[in-house]
Amino acid sequence: MQQLSKAIPIPQYKTPIAEPVSKGDNNIAMALIAFHQTNPHAYEDKRNPHFRNTYASLESVIKTVRTASQFGLTFTQEMDFEGDISFVRTVMMHSSGSMRVSRTKIVSKDPNDPQKQGSAISYAKRYGLQSIFGLPSDDDDGEVATLKPEGIAPKFFPSGNSASGGNTSSNPSEVDLNSLIANAKSEKELTDLYVKHKPTDEKIIQKFKTKKGELNGR
């Protein structure tokens, strides 16, 4: 039996990459539910000229995730290593002391090139953060989500009214807004217009999408 045990080594298991929250602690789960009810979405503020699509930058994702602080959630990100493999270690923390940890592998075409390595680290940070906080990730620049502000459910309060009183409407004046959309000279101007009015009417949203395509030359 001793000879057999020497011939077949007992496997050594490493600590798992993810460190789950204890079963009896639902603080993070409840906080995430409240956070997700705000319909958080990282605004896609960067454009990839090669693939002709837009995406949310790391700064945009961080800005969106920080809105979860109202529910007691925050995070840290740091480098982690396992042999020759490097990771970004994302730690989600709750004000109660609960935490959840995940790691995202850093993949670089040339780890010896500081610029490429830096880009790979930013990429891992962005997707690690989106993943652990459950943020949607849209790669199609034709999606209307590219025009949504960070972490805010679309609402519209006409001039002179507020959320606490007065008559509210889900649609701004179509005549005025249609004119503003048609006269937008750049994608930034169009995006600022969308953020300002936050329309919910499907026809108005479609006009934004159509105009965005025209400004992009499609």
Side-chain angles (χ1 to χ4, degrees), residues 16-38:
I17 289 178
E19 301 170 19
V21 182
S22 60
K23 293 182 179 179
D25 190 351
N26 64 351
N27 289 315
I28 286 183
M30 296 302 294
L32 276 176
I33 289 173
F35 176 50
H36 290 161
Q37 286 176 342
T38 68

Side-chain angles (χ1 to χ4, degrees), residues 41-45 55-57 60 64 145-150 191:
H41 191 107
Y43 170 54
E44 294 168 9
D45 56 342
Y55 64 93
S57 66
S60 179
T64 303
T146 61
L147 294 173
K148 291 183 180 178
E150 303 89 334
T191 299

Side-chain angles (χ1 to χ4, degrees), residues 45-55 126 139 141:
D45 56 342
K46 296 293 183 180
R47 181 171 180 79
N48 186 324
H50 181 71
F51 293 105
R52 292 178 60 83
N53 71 324
T54 54
Y55 64 93
R126 179 157 54 97
D139 294 323
D141 63 337

Side-chain angles (χ1 to χ4, degrees), residues 18-192:
E19 301 170 19
V21 182
S22 60
K23 293 182 179 179
D25 190 351
N26 64 351
N27 289 315
I28 286 183
M30 296 302 294
L32 276 176
I33 289 173
F35 176 50
H36 290 161
Q37 286 176 342
T38 68
N39 191 30
H41 191 107
Y43 170 54
E44 294 168 9
D45 56 342
K46 296 293 183 180
R47 181 171 180 79
N48 186 324
H50 181 71
F51 293 105
R52 292 178 60 83
N53 71 324
T54 54
Y55 64 93
S57 66
L58 175 60
E59 292 78 8
S60 179
V61 173
I62 290 175
K63 186 176 181 180
T64 303
V65 167
R66 281 180 177 164
T67 64
S69 63
Q70 61 188 304
F71 307 111
L73 293 173
T74 188
F75 72 95
T76 61
Q77 288 187 300
E78 57 193 32
M79 297 293 292
D80 196 5
F81 302 91
E82 187 175 309
D84 295 331
I85 303 175
S86 55
F87 302 85
V88 167
R89 186 171 184 266
T90 303
V91 183
M92 174 197 289
M93 298 174 287
H94 188 261
S95 55
S96 65
S98 304
M99 64 176 59
R100 180 170 295 168
V101 181
S102 70
R103 295 196 301 179
T104 305
K105 184 179 178 181
I106 299 172
V107 181
S108 175
K109 293 182 178 179
D110 185 2
N112 296 318
D113 185 323
Q115 185 173 0
K116 292 181 180 178
Q117 181 71 354
S119 296
I121 292 173
S122 294
Y123 187 91
K125 282 185 174 182
R126 179 157 54 97
Y127 278 94
L129 203 53
Q130 282 182 289
S131 177
I132 201 168
F133 275 87
L135 295 180
S137 175
D138 294 326
D139 294 323
D140 183 1
D141 63 337
E143 291 291 330
V144 68
T146 61
L147 294 173
K148 291 183 180 178
E150 303 89 334
I152 303 176
K155 293 180 181 178
F156 172 74
F157 300 108
S159 177
N161 295 315
S162 68
S164 59
N167 295 323
T168 60
S169 170
S170 61
N171 300 302
S173 170
E174 289 192 12
V175 175
D176 293 341
L177 191 51
N178 284 338
S179 177
L180 291 172
I181 294 172
N183 293 326
K185 303 299 183 183
S186 67
E187 185 175 339
K188 182 181 184 303
E189 182 180 345
L190 185 69
T191 299
D192 291 342

